[in-house]
Amino acid sequence: MPRNASTRSRDGSRRRHASVLLLTCAAIAACVFAFASCSKKSSSDSGSESKPLVVGFSQIGAESSWRTAETKSIRDEADKRGIDLRLYDAQQKQENQIKAINSFIAQRVDAIILAPVVETGWEPVLMQAKAAGIPVILVDRGVKVSDESLYATLIASDFVAEGRMAAQWLAKALNGAGNIVELQGTPGSAPAIDRKRGFEEGIAPHAGLKITRSQTGEFTRAKGKEVMEAFLKAAPGQINAVYAHNDDMALGAIQAIEEAGLKPGTDILIVSIDGVRAAFEAMVAGKLNCTVECNPLLGPAAFDAVEKVLAGETLPKNIVVQDRVFDQSTAAEVIDSREY
Ligand code: GYE
């Protein structure tokens, strides 16, 4: 049956609709593709292909299970965001961290994350990073610099407050009287300086509370044990409590107390800071009395800061991580929910 004018025009308009529909779909697909490529933040767009962000991380070392948890958090978050992370372990030495930062500058990384082992001595290298236009994000420990524009932000806990919280718990447990020995963290580091100050402020109202001995245990379990052994030898029967700037040193002190034939957590009370899993196990076992949490899972916040700074945002100078106090009365209840 020959096809008349109206059927031909209907076919013609059907073909036109089909091509309009096709063109529209193609246009939508192109928009979606364009949007996908520009929204991938964690990549630096260099014209045709998007390169992953390159971030240098100058880590202090692996002195404690807290530090290991922090390193893992930053590694995992970089992987999750497809960021090329150049991690450098400085083995506790500032000169190694400075070398690492200079190498990151030479590699023209997009940003630098720094966990500064000590507070001072950073101005020259931070000025070089600034001159190279590379933003620096500080994690967990602060620096003392005359020009705060040398770093974009500091993501950390309030160490003075942590020291005060430990003091308040111990003052109550000792009814305001007793001899305390102190295991300090790395000399010159922000947590050691501030946790000491906060604790001293916290016990000041209690005339009966005295710090009778104080020495660095370098934030390690082994050194914590060694120093506690020396304290026990030097002052047998005269120690009522231990204040340790981190859980690892406290766990070393527990070993020393047990080897001296005493009951940690009973004969000598022990308060520390970090909130690592081993500390909760020691509290459940009655050997540690209290730990003030200091959250090491700083990966997400650190890379949020990196991406915001690279997007031109100005960040608050301090991003303070909230901490809580845990003791034997709550340890068993929360131990399974602990992430580090
Ligand atoms: O408390 C300790 C680590 O800088 C807050 O360093 C960190 C401290 C932490 O060695 O376990």
Side-chain angles (χ1 to χ4, degrees), residues 183 221 224-225 228 242 248-258:
L183 293 171
R221 194 181 284 218
K225 181 170 186 273
M228 190 64 206
V242 177
D248 283 59
M249 292 190 292
L251 295 165
I254 286 170
Q255 282 173 288
I257 293 168
E258 284 179 328

Side-chain angles (χ1 to χ4, degrees), residues 63-64 66-67 140-141 159 191 195 219 245-246 274 294:
E63 73 280 0
S64 65
W66 188 97
R67 178 105 8 234
D140 90 68
R141 293 183 184 182
F159 301 133
R195 286 171 181 170
F219 280 134
H245 288 191
N246 81 339
D274 275 353
C294 175

Side-chain angles (χ1 to χ4, degrees), residues 1 37 41 69 98 124 126 129 138 153 192 203 250 297 315 328-329:
M1 180 173 65
S37 59
K41 279 203 304 307
I98 291 171
L126 292 180
L138 301 177
T153 188
I203 63 168
L297 308 181
L315 296 175
Q328 291 178 357
S329 66

Side-chain angles (χ1 to χ4, degrees), residues 55-59 86-90 93-109 111-117 121-130 132 134-138 143 150-151:
V55 175
F57 175 30
S58 173
Q59 177 58 296
R86 316 268 167 94
L87 193 154
Y88 192 94
D89 176 337
K93 295 195 171 61
Q94 182 179 31
E95 68 262 27
N96 290 344
Q97 293 202 278
I98 291 171
K99 252 194 238 133
I101 296 171
N102 282 320
S103 149
F104 296 149
I105 294 170
Q107 294 170 47
R108 306 179 71 75
V109 299
I112 292 170
I113 298 175
L114 167 65
V117 62
W122 299 103
E123 300 243 6
V125 76
L126 292 180
M127 286 162 82
Q128 281 160 25
K130 187 176 178 190
I134 301 175
V136 174
I137 280 88
L138 301 177
V143 296
L150 291 176
Y151 62 91

